[in-house]
Amino acid sequence: MSVDSDGTEDAGWDVDPEDDQGVAVLAALGRQLRAWREEAGIRAADLGTELGYGEDLVRKVEAGKRIPRPEYLDRADEALRAGGKIAAMKADMEQVRYPKKIRDLAKRESQAVEIGAYRVHGIHGLLQTEDYARALFEMRQPTYTQDEVERYVAARLARHSVFAREPAPSLSIVQEEVTLRRPIGGTIVWRRQLEHLLGLCQLRHMALQVMPTDREVHAGMDGGIEVLKFGDGEAVGRSEGAYAGRPVSDPRQLRILELRYGMIRAQALTPLETQGFIEQLLGET
């Protein structure tokens, strides 16, 4: 959490300037909050004091330049006697708080009936623990602000909702061996991530596989792959080493990605062998 310009604790996130929809939603929220405040005859500074935040934050929120946290809206609703009308905006804020590109990805994943992916560097976002994800974002260069780190972590964790779906989507993920061996975040964070993966191996709709480093034949040398399939028969795929990394839905292009991913799965350890590999790795740490 960041600190407001007057030294008080901040209660919001920065706006993604490239997210036109999010900017519009925030502008509308800001106008509503200002209207409620002015109708109540309360100055921005006084409202900030009552809410426990600075005047600067109040004005930023009203100007649509700051995404308020849920607790800010709850306190504002009570202070302005809005009868739940301000608190009801939390659902909209829950959406725009996440960067647009991650929000779009989460939406696609939440609709997919099949998710297949191959990862070369980090562990797939759907499989990451909170501490592992935070460690990844904190090491990025150029560095993210702490505010940005927390937003990205929250967005990544929101993607985990696919595991609560009924019926659950079919998940097939292949990880390069090095992604499990690299101690991201330190030994404790690393071990907990491995234990989390071991738990996911028990899910009936989950097929986790590891690509051993010593494989002489490897179809994944062009980079990561992701293929999402939907209930209506549509599909979308993306690969770092094909079609300039752009998402594709053309059947011929998808067939190439699916063929490559199928070969990767065939060359990797089986799910049962992967479970044994993770258990052995945990024993070594």
Side-chain angles (χ1 to χ4, degrees):
M1 186 177 293
S2 58
V3 175
D4 204 5
S5 61
D6 62 0
T8 59
E9 192 174 54
D10 201 340
W13 300 273
D14 292 329
V15 181
D16 181 355
E18 298 182 1
D19 183 3
D20 294 337
Q21 178 185 355
V23 169
V25 170
L26 286 170
L29 170 71
R31 289 193 295 270
Q32 288 293 319
L33 289 173
R34 182 175 180 178
W36 278 101
R37 178 178 61 78
E38 291 179 345
E39 184 176 347
I42 301 176
R43 297 186 308 163
D46 295 335
L47 178 61
T49 299
E50 186 168 352
L51 300 183
Y53 303 114
E55 177 183 359
D56 185 54
L57 175 65
V58 173
R59 294 197 179 281
K60 284 180 179 178
V61 171
E62 292 183 352
K65 296 180 179 179
R66 195 74 172 158
I67 305 172
R69 296 179 185 269
E71 59 268 25
Y72 179 97
L73 295 177
D74 284 334
R75 296 178 191 177
D77 191 281
E78 182 177 351
L80 299 175
R81 297 177 176 80
K85 293 183 177 64
I86 292 177
M89 300 176 187
K90 288 189 292 185
D92 295 323
M93 295 303 100
E94 187 68 18
Q95 294 298 317
V96 301
R97 65 179 286 196
Y98 303 137
K100 184 178 184 297
K101 61 182 179 181
I102 295 181
R103 196 166 69 235
D104 291 343
L105 174 61
K107 181 179 180 180
R108 298 297 278 171
E109 286 178 341
S110 70
Q111 297 169 340
V113 296
E114 292 183 34
I115 299 175
Y118 161 61
R119 282 292 178 269
V120 182
H121 299 297
I123 291 173
H124 193 285
L126 291 177
L127 311 183
Q128 293 176 12
T129 65
E130 179 176 350
D131 289 338
Y132 182 94
R134 181 171 288 105
L136 278 178
F137 289 124
E138 287 180 341
M139 70 175 61
R140 293 291 176 89
Q141 295 294 328
T143 58
Y144 290 144
T145 66
Q146 196 58 40
D147 182 270
E148 290 173 322
V149 168
E150 295 307 321
R151 284 187 67 196
Y152 277 107
V153 170
R156 182 146 296 178
L157 295 180
R159 291 168 57 191
H160 293 183
S161 62
V162 298
F163 292 103
R165 283 171 48 194
E166 288 290 346
S170 174
L171 295 170
S172 164
I173 297 178
V174 181
Q175 292 281 161
E176 276 293 328
E177 179 181 333
V178 67
T179 65
L180 273 65
R181 288 193 177 276
R182 183 169 289 124
I184 300 295
T187 302
I188 294 178
V189 171
W190 177 36
R191 280 191 59 87
R192 288 175 179 169
Q193 177 63 64
L194 292 176
E195 291 167 351
H196 180 64
L197 293 179
L198 200 58
L200 293 176
C201 287
Q202 312 305 315
L203 299 177
R204 290 183 298 165
H205 64 285
M206 177 77 198
L208 179 60
Q209 296 177 254
V210 166
M211 176 66 77
T213 302
D214 62 4
R215 283 291 191 263
E216 294 183 8
V217 180
H218 190 342
M221 298 306 293
D222 281 340
I225 294 174
E226 185 146 22
V227 177
L228 306 180
K229 297 184 178 181
F230 307 96
D232 60 1
E234 295 292 320
V236 62
R238 189 181 74 84
S239 175
E240 298 165 359
Y243 316 117
R246 297 190 303 270
V248 297
S249 55
D250 179 84
R252 291 171 297 180
Q253 296 173 329
L254 280 170
R255 180 57 184 156
I256 291 174
L257 296 185
E258 289 177 331
L259 175 62
R260 188 178 300 169
Y261 182 60
M263 288 298 296
I264 290 172
R265 291 197 67 188
Q267 293 161 349
L269 298 179
T270 68
L272 187 58
E273 290 171 337
T274 293
Q275 182 175 336
F277 173 83
I278 297 174
E279 291 173 344
Q280 178 181 343
L281 193 54
L282 273 167
E284 296 173 359
T285 61

